[in-house]
């Protein structure tokens, strides 16, 4: 993984030299020695290239296959009005980002999307934990599957019949959910996209596990693969890496989240206030990486009434402008139990353009 292939042509002789990526001065060294060298770096792996006109029949076949097997490419969120915005759900190759103020429910929403994908859609999911610990994430999923509270789980008071049913269900769902923690030892606060892809590769080689969906809880806590001189550039690189991962292998649908900027006074208690793309923390470049961008909104009063407002703002660079009010059940770790109402609050022409 730390090597590149060099194709070297000199005086009619052609050969291949393997060089460490740190030895990029190799080109200059050859030239300084006076060798008649035409040297360039090539990738000897697969090239993402299409001969457009020649590949017409292949494209027609691909679209027909995807249309007939949409359940293999597009994954419902369990929220019908949100699926409508997403044209059925988040698809392979797409990055979905949620924005919210602290303690509103980013982790709950990400867990819900993984839970629904596994239980209702029966698709394999890799859930990446960057905060709170793997065991805590396991308990949240257990609460959702058993419809139990954290207190019931800790005290072992879940009734026998429910536990028996759970064991039967888990046998059916075997190998559909992997929870990977990066919160201990040297991985804490240092994980990057290469660590996540290494986990995907390891799972494929050791267990034959191939996730169709990856959920990262949450993106702001990832680090870039290379050091940057500011947090803005660091975060931009992280989310570009997440978007690039969407297109690796046969493609992954990836959900993650980001903090919103610190709210203005009174905003968190105003039921008309909606977090928007321009309020994403650290850098706006994260928005440009997203195929879908939405926000989670709830006041203290809404939280006490188990209500939340989901704002679907953008999908595939086009304004969506749909506000979806849902009933939540955080006690049992289910971010959405049913939709209360959905409103198209903005037409595309009414969306504000953000200039940078």
């Amino acid at each position: 993984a730390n090597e590149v292939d060099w194709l070297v042509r000199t005086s009619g002789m052609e050969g291949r030299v393997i060089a460490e990526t740190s030895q990029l001065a190799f080109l200059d060294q050859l030239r300084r020695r006076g060798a008649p060298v035409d040297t360039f770096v090539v990738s000897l792996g697969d090239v993402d290239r299409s001969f457009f006109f020649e590949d017409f029949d292949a494209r027609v076949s691909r679209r027909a296959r995807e249309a007939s097997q949409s359940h293999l490419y597009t994954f419902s969120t369990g929220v019908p009005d949100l699926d409508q915005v997403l044209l059925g759900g988040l698809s392979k190759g797409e990055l979905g980002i949620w924005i919210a103020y602290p303690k509103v429910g980013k982790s709950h929403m990400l867990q819900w999307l993984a839970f629904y994908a596994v239980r209702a859609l029966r698709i394999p999911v890799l859930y990446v934990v960057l905060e709170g610990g793997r065991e805590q994430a396991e308990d949240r999923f257990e609460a959702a599957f058993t419809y139990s509270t954290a207190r019931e789980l800790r005290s072992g008071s879940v009734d026998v019949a429910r536990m028996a049913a759970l064991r039967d269900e888990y046998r059916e769902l075997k190998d559909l959910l992997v929870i990977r923690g990066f919160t201990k030892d040297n991985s804490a606060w240092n994980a990057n996209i290469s660590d996540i892809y290494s986990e995907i590769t390891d799972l494929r080689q050791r267990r034959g596990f191939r996730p169709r969906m990856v959920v990262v809880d949450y993106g702001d806590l990832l680090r870039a693969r290379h050091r940057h001189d500011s947090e803005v550039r660091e975060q931009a690189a992280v989310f570009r890496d997440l978007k690039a991962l969407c297109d690796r292998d046969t493609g992954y649908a990836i959900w993650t989240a980001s903090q919103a900027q610190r709210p203005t006074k009174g905003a968190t208690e105003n039921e008309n206030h909606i977090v928007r793309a321009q309020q994403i923390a650290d850098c706006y470049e994260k928005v440009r990486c997203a195929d879908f961008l939405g926000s989670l909104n709830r006041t203290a009063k809404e939280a006490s009434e188990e209500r939340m407002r989901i704002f679907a703002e953008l999908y595939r660079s086009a304004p969506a402008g749909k506000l979806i009010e849902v009933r939540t059940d955080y006690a049992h770790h289910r971010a959405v139990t049913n939709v209360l109402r959905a409103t198209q609050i903005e037409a595309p022409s009414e969306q504000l353009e953000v200039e940078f």
Side-chain angles (χ1 to χ4, degrees), residues 302-323:
E302 287 174 315
S304 69
E305 297 171 350
E306 289 287 7
R307 292 186 292 121
M308 179 171 67
R309 285 166 291 126
I310 296 172
F311 182 53
E313 183 171 2
L314 301 169
Y315 182 54
R316 294 181 179 174
S317 300
K322 178 170 281 191
L323 187 66

Side-chain angles (χ1 to χ4, degrees), residues 20-319:
E20 293 292 323
T21 52
S22 60
Q23 296 174 337
L24 297 180
F26 179 66
L27 295 172
D28 292 333
Q29 291 174 6
L30 290 174
R31 292 194 180 99
R32 281 198 298 270
R33 291 174 183 173
V37 178
D38 175 20
T39 311
F40 50 93
V41 181
V42 297
S43 169
L44 299 180
D46 293 333
V47 177
D48 188 13
R49 178 189 297 127
S50 167
F51 295 93
F52 182 79
F53 298 109
E54 296 176 27
D55 295 342
F56 173 68
D57 288 335
R59 288 195 301 278
V60 172
S61 297
R62 172 179 58 80
R63 288 192 289 264
R65 182 178 66 253
E66 292 177 356
S68 65
Q69 301 177 334
S70 61
H71 63 287
L72 300 178
Y73 300 91
T74 299
F75 311 121
S76 169
T77 64
V79 184
D81 293 281
L82 181 57
D83 286 344
Q84 188 177 35
V85 171
L86 293 167
L87 305 180
L90 197 71
S91 298
K92 281 187 176 183
E94 293 184 339
L95 173 63
I97 302 176
W98 295 104
I99 312 173
Y101 295 129
K103 309 300 181 183
V104 168
K106 294 186 296 295
S107 292
H108 278 95
M109 188 63 178
L110 293 174
Q111 182 215 328
W112 162 261
L113 293 165
F115 168 77
Y116 186 83
V118 170
R119 192 179 216 185
L121 307 180
R122 296 296 203 264
I123 66 167
V125 174
L126 172 62
Y127 192 87
V128 177
V129 182
L130 300 172
E131 181 183 54
R134 175 181 55 80
E135 294 88 352
Q136 183 177 333
E138 288 176 342
D139 290 346
R140 291 200 304 264
F141 276 102
E142 206 96 82
F145 276 106
T146 59
Y147 199 69
S148 304
T149 65
R151 178 178 296 179
E152 288 172 331
L153 285 176
R154 284 195 296 267
S155 65
S157 58
V158 181
D159 65 76
V160 175
R162 212 177 340 168
M163 291 301 291
L166 184 69
R167 291 180 187 279
D168 290 340
E169 183 177 19
Y170 280 10
R171 279 192 285 269
E172 293 181 14
L173 300 178
K174 183 183 177 182
D175 292 332
L176 287 183
L177 177 62
V178 173
I179 302 173
R180 176 62 159 93
F182 288 98
T183 60
K184 295 181 178 180
D185 304 322
N186 294 330
S187 66
W189 309 105
N190 290 309
N192 61 44
I193 204 70
S194 296
D195 296 310
I196 295 176
Y197 191 67
S198 293
E199 175 69 8
I200 292 173
T201 302
D202 188 54
L203 289 169
R204 181 172 62 243
Q205 293 174 346
R206 291 174 181 268
R207 295 287 297 266
F209 180 85
R210 299 171 183 267
R212 295 184 196 168
M213 179 182 290
V214 178
V215 180
V216 180
D217 187 8
Y218 58 95
D220 288 354
L221 302 177
L222 275 177
R223 308 312 299 166
R225 289 172 295 125
H226 308 292
R227 183 174 297 177
H228 293 269
D229 58 8
S230 71
E231 185 63 20
V232 170
R233 292 186 177 183
E234 177 89 9
Q235 287 293 301
V238 164
F239 279 75
R240 284 196 295 268
D241 285 345
L242 281 168
K243 177 55 184 171
L245 180 59
C246 292
D247 295 319
R248 293 292 296 267
D249 306 323
T250 57
Y252 304 98
I254 299 182
W255 284 107
T256 191
S258 176
Q259 291 277 22
Q261 297 170 8
R262 184 172 298 180
T264 57
K265 186 177 180 180
T268 58
E269 294 309 315
N270 180 358
E271 291 193 18
N272 293 316
H273 173 72
I274 298 172
V275 175
R276 297 173 183 272
Q278 59 263 39
Q279 293 168 263
I280 198 167
D282 297 322
C283 72
Y284 189 79
E285 183 67 26
K286 294 188 281 191
V287 173
R288 295 191 174 100
C289 296
D291 294 282
F292 167 80
L293 189 130
S295 67
L296 308 175
N297 306 269
R298 72 186 324 192
T299 64
K301 181 176 183 293
E302 287 174 315
S304 69
E305 297 171 350
E306 289 287 7
R307 292 186 292 121
M308 179 171 67
R309 285 166 291 126
I310 296 172
F311 182 53
E313 183 171 2
L314 301 169
Y315 182 54
R316 294 181 179 174
S317 300

